[in-house]
Amino acid sequence: MKKRFISIIIVIIMAAAVIVPAQAAGTATGNIKVSNTYTCGQFKDVEISDWFSMYVQAGYEYGLLSGKTGDTFAPFDKLTVGEAVKIAVCLSSIYNTGKADFNEGSPWYKSYEAYALKKGMLDEPFKDYATYITREQFAQLIAGALPEEALNAINDVPNGAVPDVLLSDSFGPSVYELYEAGVLAGSDRLGTFRPYGLLSRAEAAAMVARAADAGFRKSLNLSAKLSGEQIYEKCASAVFYLERYDMDGALMGIGSGFFISRDGLALTNYHVIDGAAKAIIMMADGTIYDVKGVCGFDKERDLAILQIDGSGFDYLRLGDSDVLTVGDRVYSIGSPFGMLNSLSDGIVSNAGQDVNDAEFIPFSAPISQGSGGGPVLDTRGQVVGVTCLTASHGQTLNFAVPINVAESLSRTGCVPLITLNFSGEGRTIFYAGYYPVPDYGVYVGTAPYKLETDAAREVKTYFYKTSEITKSDDIAVEGYISLLAEKGFAWQSSYTNDAGYTVNVYKNDEFGISIHFGLDSVDGVECRFVALY
């Protein structure tokens, strides 16, 4: 009986704990006060032990949050734009007037949108209120909902201390204001914000409760300088390993590179992709992406901006290489000898050194073959250089291209590698060993999908995905046939292959070479092919 009595007391204490926070805090800002009663078990999907339970309770009691239904909060659902605007508007209205009386018409969010626009919380309406809000969008709404005096700084957060946000970002001032006020605390031990990630209703509850009640705000100790471990944790996911291939699909070399935008723009050395017909990248988790092409490059300075075929990548911030001084600590991440995402550190050994009439940054962080194209990072995790050279017998004497050089490189107008490296004005590239057969892949700007070799018949067949051939049939077919004629090839015959496609045969009597040109199906993929006899 005694044990049961103790258990009852414990249960009562635990039940009471969940209805205390908002009333006990006593630190609500402005005119915000408890207006609703929250009971234990109010939402069946919010447990007392959940990290967000006290925030859900506080937001509900202050009239800022409601459930998804009468008895569910749906803490792990993503917050919609409409819900986000409503929460921020209610926060602003209750702070200023003590109430949030809005008539919901059609569409339901219209009155909240009108308030947000009038108060300057929004510069313009959102295009879609049913889509999900990003973390940076919600941060700007919350920061705009309250006056400066309601967000007094309790933390010193220097620019760059939030690993993935700078003050110069369009949303940077709002994010840093909320970090300094303790409304934001980051999503990991580094204080990473993940600005473009979607926000859950539980995370929104935490943010709005901290904004409304200073008693919930978090004290932080974020430094603009990171340790080597923190640099790796922050930056490694944006660095990749690269392999380049020749026209026959043979591996030519390896290197490194890193993303500079979410939508697949990446930096590497020019020499890493020089002479390649095709290239792929591999992330640390083994995921492989194709290099779609090159946007801009500087051959002399050994830099190239690539477009990777994908999106949603982690990316690195570009720093200012002009502020580097001798003795500054730097870090390098690359794939020496194919060992993905290896970290090394050292110091800047000279503020700038001319090599072949171009300025480079000498540094002592060890690099090896395969490291070229990787980032050189400062202690804030910002890119200050791109590794490119190592001195023979120089031990730790290595060089990086100053990152400021990249500012002048184009980030648009992607050109396929095969076009960049093998085509030119008035220039025809021929299949190796089969002169004068024009290389079809170079002609249409598409890398080979597959190469089949029949040694017994001495036949090589190059296949190219028709889905990757962007040129019209007038160029991709008739144009190539005209080019064959210019090189002395005449039509000989035609036949229907097993896939039901017509194949044309052309021959150059002078060189004794025949080619078969047409369509075929390879692994279920429609391809145009050139068979060399």
Side-chain angles (χ1 to χ4, degrees):
M1 178 65 111
K2 190 172 183 180
K3 288 183 179 179
R4 183 166 176 268
F5 178 71
I6 293 172
S7 298
I8 291 171
I9 292 175
I10 292 172
V11 170
I12 291 173
I13 291 173
M14 289 180 67
V18 79
I19 62 171
V20 170
Q23 299 180 51
T27 47
T29 57
N31 293 299
I32 295 173
K33 58 184 182 297
V34 173
S35 59
N36 296 322
T37 300
Y38 187 93
T39 58
C40 183
Q42 172 123 5
F43 298 120
K44 60 185 181 183
D45 52 1
V46 177
E47 300 288 341
I48 296 174
S49 58
D50 291 330
W51 69 266
F52 50 80
S53 63
M54 64 178 177
Y55 299 125
V56 172
Q57 176 187 336
Y60 181 84
E61 289 183 340
Y62 287 144
L64 301 171
L65 297 174
S66 58
K68 197 80 170 181
T69 65
D71 62 352
T72 63
F73 184 72
F76 306 112
D77 283 5
K78 301 304 180 187
L79 190 73
T80 67
V81 168
E83 291 171 329
V85 172
K86 178 180 178 180
I87 290 171
V89 164
C90 288
L91 176 64
S92 173
S93 181
I94 295 174
Y95 175 88
N96 288 294
T97 68
K99 57 185 179 179
D101 297 329
F102 294 92
N103 295 318
E104 294 186 0
S106 180
W108 70 268
Y109 56 78
K110 204 65 181 176
S111 58
Y112 301 108
E113 176 191 72
Y115 180 99
L117 290 168
K118 181 179 178 181
K119 296 294 185 179
M121 296 166 60
L122 289 178
D123 293 329
E124 59 183 6
F126 282 98
K127 293 181 180 179
D128 186 355
Y129 283 76
T131 192
Y132 298 122
I133 198 83
T134 63
R135 298 168 66 83
E136 58 91 0
Q137 288 172 330
F138 193 62
Q140 291 187 83
L141 283 170
I142 295 300
L146 298 175
E148 188 175 331
E149 58 268 22
L151 295 169
N152 291 325
I154 62 172
N155 301 309
D156 180 20
V157 186
N159 186 22
V162 180
D164 51 357
V165 180
L166 294 176
L167 275 171
S168 56
D169 291 327
S170 59
F171 49 84
S174 295
V175 171
Y176 272 82
E177 182 180 26
L178 295 181
Y179 267 85
E180 290 183 338
V183 174
L184 291 176
S187 58
D188 58 23
R189 65 190 184 91
L190 299 179
T192 305
F193 180 56
R194 297 186 291 113
Y196 304 108
L198 301 180
L199 194 73
S200 70
R201 287 171 55 84
E203 291 171 324
M207 286 178 64
V208 74
R210 291 173 190 157
D213 191 331
F216 291 115
R217 296 182 184 178
K218 296 287 187 179
S219 296
L220 304 170
N221 183 21
L222 298 179
S223 171
K225 286 191 175 183
L226 304 177
S227 66
E229 180 185 2
Q230 291 171 326
I231 291 284
Y232 189 82
E233 185 177 339
K234 172 184 174 181
C235 302
S237 61
V239 183
F240 55 77
Y241 163 74
L242 183 147
E243 292 182 347
R244 71 183 188 274
Y245 298 88
D246 65 14
M247 297 295 296
D248 293 326
L251 179 65
M252 295 174 63
I254 63 175
S256 301
F258 56 94
F259 289 104
I260 59 173
S261 76
R262 284 172 53 80
D263 55 2
L265 284 179
L267 260 175
T268 188
N269 292 143
Y270 180 84
H271 79 257
V272 169
I273 50 92
D274 188 21
K278 181 180 179 180
I280 61 168
I281 69 163
M282 180 185 293
M283 307 303 295
D285 64 1
T287 307
I288 294 174
Y289 298 91
D290 288 327
V291 175
K292 192 173 181 180
V294 179
C295 296
F297 64 91
D298 186 328
K299 209 168 187 177
E300 285 68 36
R301 302 304 300 275
D302 201 17
L303 278 187
I305 292 184
L306 308 180
Q307 177 65 61
I308 308 302
D309 193 7
S311 61
F313 299 106
D314 291 338
Y315 65 97
L316 300 181
R317 299 280 184 171
L318 304 187
D320 184 358
S321 51
D322 288 343
V323 302
L324 286 176
T325 58
V326 176
D328 282 349
R329 180 156 295 279
V330 290
Y331 298 85
S332 173
I333 301 178
S335 302
F337 301 108
M339 294 187 293
L340 274 66
N341 286 18
S342 297
L343 177 74
S344 61
D345 71 330
I347 61 169
V348 175
S349 51
N350 195 313
Q353 183 69 47
D354 284 348
V355 179
N356 296 330
D357 297 324
E359 185 178 308
F360 292 87
I361 302 168
F363 66 101
S364 63
I367 62 173
S368 302
Q369 181 185 358
S371 298
V376 175
L377 304 153
D378 63 15
T379 53
R380 296 164 62 185
Q382 296 186 95
V383 183
V384 290
V386 182
T387 57
C388 62
L389 298 171
T390 184
S392 298
H393 312 296
Q395 296 183 0
T396 54
L397 180 56
N398 306 303
F399 297 89
V401 183
I403 196 59
N404 291 1
V405 174
E407 293 176 1
S408 62
L409 301 184
S410 172
R411 285 163 168 73
T412 59
C414 174
V415 177
L417 285 174
I418 197 167
T419 301
L420 174 71
N421 289 322
F422 295 97
S423 65
E425 189 67 32
R427 180 182 175 196
T428 301
I429 303 300
F430 306 98
Y431 286 108
Y434 288 90
Y435 179 87
V437 183
D439 189 305
Y440 183 72
V442 174
Y443 178 73
V444 296
T446 303
Y449 167 62
K450 195 171 187 179
L451 170 64
E452 290 184 354
T453 302
D454 186 336
R457 298 168 59 209
E458 296 184 347
V459 178
K460 275 188 177 181
T461 306
Y462 291 85
F463 295 93
Y464 306 87
K465 288 183 181 179
T466 56
S467 61
E468 294 182 355
I469 299 173
T470 58
K471 297 184 183 298
S472 66
D473 282 349
D474 286 348
I475 298 174
V477 179
E478 300 303 325
Y480 185 66
I481 292 171
S482 297
L483 186 58
L484 286 174
E486 289 177 17
K487 304 305 176 184
F489 287 85
W491 181 85
Q492 295 290 300
S493 62
S494 63
Y495 62 91
T496 301
N497 61 16
D498 292 342
Y501 295 109
T502 298
V503 179
N504 289 289
V505 180
Y506 301 86
K507 185 177 182 181
N508 185 307
D509 290 325
E510 180 183 355
F511 289 89
I513 297 176
S514 295
I515 74 162
H516 294 208
F517 180 57
L519 293 171
D520 203 348
S521 180
V522 181
D523 306 325
V525 177
E526 185 184 77
C527 296
R528 189 161 291 282
F529 74 90
V530 176
L532 308 171
Y533 289 78

